[in-house]
Amino acid sequence: MKKIACLAGMMMLSVGLFSQQIGKQGEEFLERVAAELVERGVEAGIEGLLEHFENLLAVPLDINRAGAEELEELLLLSDFQIASLLEYRSSSGNVLSAAELQLINGFDKSTVDLIRPFVRFGSGAGLPDAGKGSRSDLLVKGWWKKDGQEYLGPKFYTQVKYKWQWGEKLQAGFTLEKDNGEEILTKGVPLGDFLSFHLSAREIPVRDIAVVSDIVLGDYLVKLGQGLVMWGGFSLSGGEDVQGAMKRGSRIAPYTSSDENAFLRGGAATVRRNLRGYRSVGLTLFFSLKDVDARMKDGKYTSLLTDGLHNTESLLAGRKSLGEVVYGTSVQYRGSKVRLGINWAGYGYDALCGKKVQDYNKWQIYQGQWGNFSADFVALVGRSRVFGEVAMDYGGSGAAVAGICSRWGEWDLSGTIRSYSRSYIAPYAGAYSTISSCSNQAGVSVRGARSFARGGKLTVGGDYTYYPWERYNISAPSSAAKLWGRWDKAADAFSWNVKMYGNWNSWKKQYKLGLKGALGGAVSEYLQLKLRYEGVVWCMDKAGLSAGAEAIIGSGNSRARLVLRCAYYNCRDWNTRLYMYEYDLPSSFSSSLMYGEGLKYYALFSYKFGRNIAFYLKGDDIPRVKMGLKMRFF
């Protein structure tokens, strides 16, 4: 009874001032994607996802000037919606309002509500200065928690992030981070041991010859094709959304996240020459030289360290102990209905590999300089988009991925197939894979989505993966499959969703069945409530469940907000463990493992001083106290 009373009396939520800007539809989209990334074990991409949409909030996309590629990078529109919008603009002229956008084929109220905070309709749409002028953002956050372990430095986490932008053309910034237990000054780096920086520019004309569409000095990301050679940053590939089947946008971008490994450091640029008939050719060049963390033995590296922690003597000894060089180029052709690319990346370390060779990893070990070549394409055939990439590494091993996004009646559909050989080595690849590398698998994925009247939406999907060769702790060929379906219903007063899923693997002949969902809405002007639940069954003899409630106290335009959450869980077997995801301090998410039996709870308070300063304070059950401050200067 005590647990039930706590659950009923303490309700939660996980949004701050960001959700006040993106609205209910945007909030639910981000929560769903965050949950998917946590379930797939790639939650590091959440920070990049949030920053992507925060940048769009600051500089909304002009929906009347954006081309197909820019609309794809919005990540919120299907191929059918993009084609419908471009066709409407061609025949009827500019879209002047959100109400007019809703009249275009494929755009319902829920879609327009979702994208509205991230787009503008030109200078006459109430945002005359969007994309112009200078602005600066400063983010400071940190946390402390009780910890009995002994570390080299103070037991708190600190991050300072600054970014300056001039319209859509120029950007500069830096990130300083100190992890829990690291020294305040490490080898000349203040606030820990991680310093990231960048300076970038876009759309710089070179007389009448060409345009430097992107140039970055410092830390950056490269995205090529469908990711078989190189892909940095977050991706919706492998998620529930139909539009996530195809990787969208092949470009370089400044690195602004806090992961200490997932970036390149040096310089990169893309030069584009526009041709007649909406055609263009582009050339991308990039070079990176940095040191990475590794365990070293007898002058060779035995493993790469990727968690970024340096709070003990042994971890500090591996800090930046291995030199890394990465370089490459890409040539792109873009027409009105086709995009083609030829890509190459080379890389290597300044020490040989000393890993222990075993049956499951011997095909993924390389020495000296290595690299990959690929060719990729995207073609519009009617209202279907066909895409693919074929790649080969220096050793002659190959990988391929292909797919289609289409519209059939009222359904948006997508399907992909992939085949990666066991010896295809591409450590910087980011194509969809169910293991940590793009190797040793063949698979097929299908997705479908249909919107109904009055805010209803049904999405379904399935994946099947076959592993032809041995893997870690699995000494024979194996396979895995998953199926799922989700129903979302959005209305002005409330919204609810339910998802059913099933996962199966052949190596242990095990399966998991699950049901999860949420129901919530506005009780009054100052109170929003939401209930969440999830249950799983493992092989019909073990079960886990969680149930929670959340609340937001404060109106949409109030300066102060209080967010409360409490969840009870009973997951006594490791295979039935669940995860609770939550909005955290600004520009970040966090997740909590629910294993065993107990309660998870937190409180998040935020206060907005004027228009441009926001303060955050959060406490949870760990126990841990977090604080954040976000400021904008014009």
Side-chain angles (χ1 to χ4, degrees):
M1 288 299 296
K2 181 179 179 181
K3 294 173 182 176
I4 296 174
C6 177
L7 184 63
M10 262 196 89
M11 294 159 294
M12 80 112 182
L13 186 109
S14 49
V15 282
L17 298 176
F18 184 50
S19 66
Q20 291 177 272
Q21 298 172 282
I22 64 176
K24 183 172 67 174
Q25 300 287 351
E27 173 195 333
E28 292 176 350
F29 168 80
L30 290 179
E31 286 185 358
R32 176 169 57 79
V33 174
E36 291 177 22
L37 294 175
V38 170
E39 291 170 1
R40 290 159 47 201
V42 289
E43 58 188 289
I46 296 176
E47 186 178 2
L49 177 75
L50 289 176
E51 290 186 350
H52 170 78
F53 287 106
E54 285 183 339
N55 289 335
L56 283 170
L57 278 175
V59 186
L61 181 69
D62 189 335
I63 204 165
N64 290 309
R65 293 176 54 196
E69 185 177 5
E70 293 173 297
L71 293 169
E72 289 172 2
E73 291 178 356
L74 190 61
L75 302 180
L76 300 174
L77 298 176
S78 68
D79 290 307
F80 175 74
Q81 290 168 329
I82 292 172
S84 293
L85 174 59
L86 295 175
E87 184 179 299
Y88 182 90
R89 279 171 25 189
S90 177
S91 61
S92 304
N94 287 347
V95 181
L96 301 181
S97 67
E100 183 180 357
L101 182 61
Q102 194 171 326
L103 300 176
I104 299 175
N105 191 18
F107 287 82
D108 54 17
K109 183 178 184 302
S110 113
T111 299
V112 174
D113 288 343
L114 174 62
I115 71 171
R116 183 63 190 93
F118 309 113
V119 301
R120 67 184 192 272
F121 300 91
S123 60
L127 289 168
D129 297 323
K132 301 179 180 179
S134 173
R135 65 186 181 278
S136 299
D137 293 282
L138 176 67
L139 173 64
V140 181
K141 58 185 179 181
W143 54 260
W144 171 90
K145 73 174 181 178
K146 186 177 180 180
D147 193 334
Q149 299 186 52
E150 292 298 324
Y151 294 127
L152 294 175
K155 298 178 181 179
F156 63 85
Y157 170 91
T158 307
Q159 183 187 120
V160 177
K161 184 179 295 186
Y162 174 79
K163 183 171 65 175
W164 171 85
Q165 287 183 268
W166 180 269
E168 299 173 334
K169 298 291 187 180
L170 299 174
Q171 178 177 311
F174 68 84
T175 299
L176 281 168
E177 184 187 55
K178 188 194 94 65
D179 289 310
N180 183 37
E182 292 181 343
E183 297 176 306
I184 294 179
L185 185 67
T186 304
K187 296 185 178 180
V189 179
L191 289 180
D193 63 350
F194 180 60
L195 169 61
S196 176
F197 55 91
H198 68 272
L199 172 65
S200 68
R202 297 192 63 193
E203 301 300 322
I204 303 173
V206 182
R207 298 184 178 180
D208 296 328
I209 302 174
V211 173
V212 180
S213 56
D214 292 285
I215 183 170
V216 184
L217 298 176
D219 297 343
Y220 62 93
L221 301 171
V222 175
K223 302 178 180 181
L224 300 179
Q226 295 301 309
L228 283 179
V229 168
M230 179 164 290
W231 188 275
F234 75 93
S235 171
L236 300 183
S237 178
E240 296 180 1
D241 288 299
V242 172
Q243 59 265 35
M246 184 184 77
K247 286 187 176 293
R248 296 163 184 262
S250 299
R251 52 175 299 185
I252 58 176
Y255 181 73
T256 58
S257 298
S258 58
D259 189 298
E260 299 187 23
N261 298 278
F263 64 91
L264 301 178
R265 174 166 290 177
T270 296
V271 180
R272 184 185 72 245
R273 179 175 173 82
N274 295 322
L275 307 173
R276 293 181 180 179
Y278 303 101
R279 297 175 298 132
S280 68
V281 292
L283 172 67
T284 296
L285 299 169
F286 57 93
F287 179 82
S288 169
L289 188 63
K290 68 174 184 176
D291 294 329
V292 299
D293 296 349
R295 286 193 177 93
M296 306 294 294
K297 184 178 181 180
D298 299 329
K300 298 181 179 180
Y301 71 93
T302 58
S303 64
L304 301 178
L305 306 175
T306 59
D307 58 10
L309 290 175
H310 309 107
N311 50 15
T312 66
E313 291 288 354
S314 61
L315 291 175
L316 186 60
R319 178 184 181 271
K320 300 186 182 304
S321 57
L322 183 65
E324 174 196 66
V325 60
V326 183
Y327 44 87
T329 185
S330 174
V331 179
Q332 310 102 28
Y333 168 82
R334 304 181 189 277
S336 59
K337 293 188 176 182
V338 65
R339 298 203 306 261
L340 304 173
I342 302 294
N343 314 297
W344 166 65
Y347 40 85
Y349 300 114
D350 63 358
L352 296 178
C353 180
K355 294 181 180 180
K356 183 179 179 180
V357 179
Q358 301 185 56
D359 288 340
Y360 75 89
N361 73 352
K362 63 184 179 182
W363 305 103
Q364 289 296 302
I365 294 177
Y366 70 95
Q367 301 285 4
Q369 295 295 304
W370 200 259
N372 309 84
F373 299 92
S374 79
D376 71 270
F377 73 94
V378 178
L380 185 64
V381 182
R383 290 200 169 180
S384 297
R385 192 176 298 267
V386 183
F387 59 92
E389 184 174 15
V390 178
M392 183 177 67
D393 65 17
Y394 282 5
S397 298
V401 61
I404 183 172
C405 299
S406 188
R407 180 84 169 186
W408 184 40
E410 298 297 319
W411 285 85
D412 288 308
L413 302 171
S414 69
T416 61
I417 56 174
R418 63 189 185 279
S419 178
Y420 311 147
S421 73
R422 63 180 175 179
S423 53
Y424 179 69
I425 300 175
Y428 300 95
Y432 176 53
S433 175
T434 54
I435 58 177
S436 60
S437 64
C438 291
S439 64
N440 187 18
Q441 64 182 269
V444 58
S445 303
V446 293
R447 303 285 186 269
R450 178 179 177 179
S451 296
F452 295 85
R454 300 181 180 178
K457 183 177 182 179
L458 175 65
T459 55
V460 295
D463 292 279
Y464 174 78
T465 305
Y466 175 64
Y467 308 97
W469 297 279
E470 62 271 16
R471 295 185 291 144
Y472 180 69
N473 281 340
I474 302 174
S475 59
S478 57
S479 58
K482 61 180 180 180
L483 296 170
W484 53 266
R486 178 184 173 104
W487 171 261
D488 290 88
K489 176 70 173 180
D492 293 334
F494 70 94
S495 62
W496 63 277
N497 64 75
V498 61
K499 176 183 175 181
M500 299 179 64
Y501 61 91
N503 301 333
W504 171 85
N505 67 68
S506 69
W507 53 95
K508 291 185 178 180
K509 294 183 172 55
Q510 296 172 330
Y511 59 89
K512 177 189 288 187
L513 303 176
L515 176 70
K516 63 189 298 185
L519 168 66
V523 177
S524 69
E525 180 183 356
Y526 299 98
L527 179 62
Q528 298 179 52
L529 299 180
K530 182 174 286 188
L531 303 176
R532 297 183 184 275
Y533 60 90
E534 183 170 7
V536 296
V537 175
W538 178 262
C539 297
M540 298 306 292
D541 62 351
K542 296 179 177 64
L545 64 89
S546 71
E550 52 187 64
I552 312 174
I553 303 171
S555 63
N557 58 3
S558 64
R559 293 183 181 276
R561 294 187 106 197
L562 177 62
V563 172
L564 302 172
R565 175 170 187 166
C566 183
Y568 166 73
Y569 61 93
N570 190 335
C571 309
R572 296 180 180 275
D573 186 86
W574 178 250
N575 293 308
T576 66
R577 67 191 183 279
L578 299 172
Y579 292 90
M580 183 177 81
Y581 61 93
E582 58 196 56
Y583 281 93
D584 206 48
L585 298 180
S587 301
S588 59
F589 259 85
S590 64
S591 63
S592 298
L593 171 66
M594 294 187 289
Y595 172 52
E597 182 181 12
L599 293 171
K600 289 286 183 183
Y601 54 85
Y602 74 85
L604 172 63
F605 173 76
S606 59
Y607 189 84
K608 193 172 183 180
F609 299 87
R611 295 177 54 191
N612 303 318
I613 302 177
F615 172 75
Y616 298 77
L617 178 64
K618 180 180 179 181
D620 57 29
D621 60 283
I622 289 181
R624 177 171 52 187
V625 177
K626 296 185 175 184
M627 290 188 292
L629 181 67
K630 190 169 187 177
M631 306 175 67
R632 170 162 291 179
F633 309 93
F634 290 89

